[in-house]
């Protein structure tokens, strides 16, 4: 298995043995990608649209950044049959990789309850990416439901069918379908497990 991550202006691929392969990224592309993530997506996703700054150039760089990484993954890591995508910086990746592999996403920030009309198109772009993953994990049931509501209310170009925690996406033009399972998986420790473990007599004796 390999772990891909961004360090400054470098795309780094690290394998299980700890060996790194480095690929230089365009500095302007990286800068505008992070601006779009931090200045626009972050406040919108946290239900703070009044603090969001939208730039069409930054959005185009965000899309180009995702496309460039997807291209490298497809052409460098040809043997990979599944990808784990972590968070909103790479939200377009499942859609870009859909023809060659499975993808799994953990979305570690909220999905907003309300999206302003002027922000719907940009958010639908992210949602389309997630809807082409095989499994998407949200922190809470509330965030998952917010996402389902957004898809139902705004993504009319698709026939969206929901069943339990699964969305079936049907493209009206091509009639192709894809199902994505959404799960609520909050991070944190299992406090009950550790409390029970701490109260075991053998462990208490060892601690004394």
């Amino acid at each position: 298995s390999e772990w891909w991550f961004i360090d400054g202006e470098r795309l780094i691929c690290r394998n299980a043995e700890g060996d790194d392969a480095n690929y230089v990224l365009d500095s302007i592309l990286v800068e505008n990608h992070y601006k779009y993530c931090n200045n626009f997506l972050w406040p919108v996703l946290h239900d703070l649209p009044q603090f969001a700054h939208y730039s069409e150039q930054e959005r185009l760089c965000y899309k180009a950044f995702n496309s460039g990484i997807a291209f490298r993954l497809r052409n460098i890591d040809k043997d990979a049959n599944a990808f784990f995508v972590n968070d909103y910086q790479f939200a377009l990746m499942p859609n870009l990789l859909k023809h060659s592999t499975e993808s799994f996403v953990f979305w570690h920030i909220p999905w907003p309850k309300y999206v302003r009309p002027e922000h719907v198109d940009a958010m639908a772009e992210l949602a389309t990416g997630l809807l082409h993953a095989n499994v998407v994990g949200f922190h809470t049931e509330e965030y998952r439901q917010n996402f389902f509501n957004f898809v139902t209310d705004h993504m009319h170009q698709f026939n969206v069918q929901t069943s339990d925690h699964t969305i079936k996406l049907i493209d009206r033009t091509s009639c192709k379908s894809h199902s994505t399972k959404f799960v609520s998986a909050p991070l944190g420790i299992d406090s009950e497990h550790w409390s029970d473990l701490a109260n075991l007599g053998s462990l208490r004796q060892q601690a004394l």
Side-chain angles (χ1 to χ4, degrees):
S1 63
E2 296 176 333
W3 178 254
W4 294 77
F5 60 96
I6 306 299
D7 182 10
E9 296 172 6
R10 295 182 303 152
L11 172 65
I12 299 177
C13 174
R14 178 168 296 164
N15 60 29
E17 287 72 37
D19 299 324
D20 289 351
N22 294 270
Y23 306 91
V24 178
L25 301 172
D26 180 81
S27 60
I28 301 299
L29 189 68
V30 173
E31 179 182 0
N32 283 321
H33 167 266
Y34 279 116
K35 283 183 178 179
Y36 187 71
C37 289
N38 297 330
N39 298 339
F40 177 70
L41 294 181
W42 180 268
V44 171
L45 288 164
H46 283 81
D47 275 310
L48 298 169
Q50 67 273 24
F51 298 111
H53 167 75
Y54 177 82
S55 163
E56 184 66 20
Q57 180 186 10
E58 292 169 6
R59 181 179 177 184
L60 289 173
C61 286
Y62 175 84
K63 295 166 70 172
F65 183 93
N66 274 256
S67 296
I69 302 300
F71 175 82
R72 285 172 171 83
L73 292 178
R74 285 197 303 265
N75 288 276
I76 297 170
D77 205 358
K78 294 181 182 295
D79 296 328
N81 56 15
F83 287 97
F84 172 75
V85 180
N86 186 33
D87 220 23
Y88 67 106
Q89 291 93 344
F90 298 102
L92 309 185
M93 297 286 284
N95 190 23
L96 296 167
L97 295 168
K98 64 186 177 185
H99 296 299
S100 57
T101 185
E102 294 182 341
S103 54
F104 305 87
V105 178
F106 185 68
W107 192 263
H108 75 251
I109 62 175
W111 189 273
K113 290 182 179 179
Y114 172 75
V115 176
R116 289 181 176 179
E118 64 268 28
H119 297 157
V120 165
D121 184 61
M123 294 299 290
E125 190 170 66
L126 268 63
T128 299
L130 297 184
L131 286 168
H132 283 93
N134 296 80
V135 180
V136 178
F138 283 105
H139 264 308
T140 69
E141 182 64 19
E142 178 187 356
Y143 299 160
R144 186 194 66 82
Q145 189 59 54
N146 289 348
F147 180 84
F148 275 34
N149 292 341
F150 176 86
V151 171
T152 301
D153 293 341
H154 299 293
M155 302 190 69
H156 304 301
Q157 71 272 36
F158 297 108
N159 179 9
V160 179
Q161 302 174 2
T162 60
S163 176
D164 295 326
H165 288 187
T166 301
I167 290 182
K168 186 176 183 180
L169 186 72
I170 303 176
D171 190 324
R172 296 183 187 276
T173 57
S174 66
C175 296
K176 293 182 178 179
S177 65
H178 172 81
S179 294
T180 302
K181 182 178 181 180
F182 290 82
V183 298
S184 302
L187 288 180
I189 65 170
D190 185 342
S191 57
E192 184 176 347
H193 166 77
W194 289 106
S195 178
D196 292 342
L197 197 62
N199 288 322
L200 288 177
S202 59
L203 289 179
R204 281 187 162 184
Q205 290 176 0
Q206 291 178 29
L208 296 174

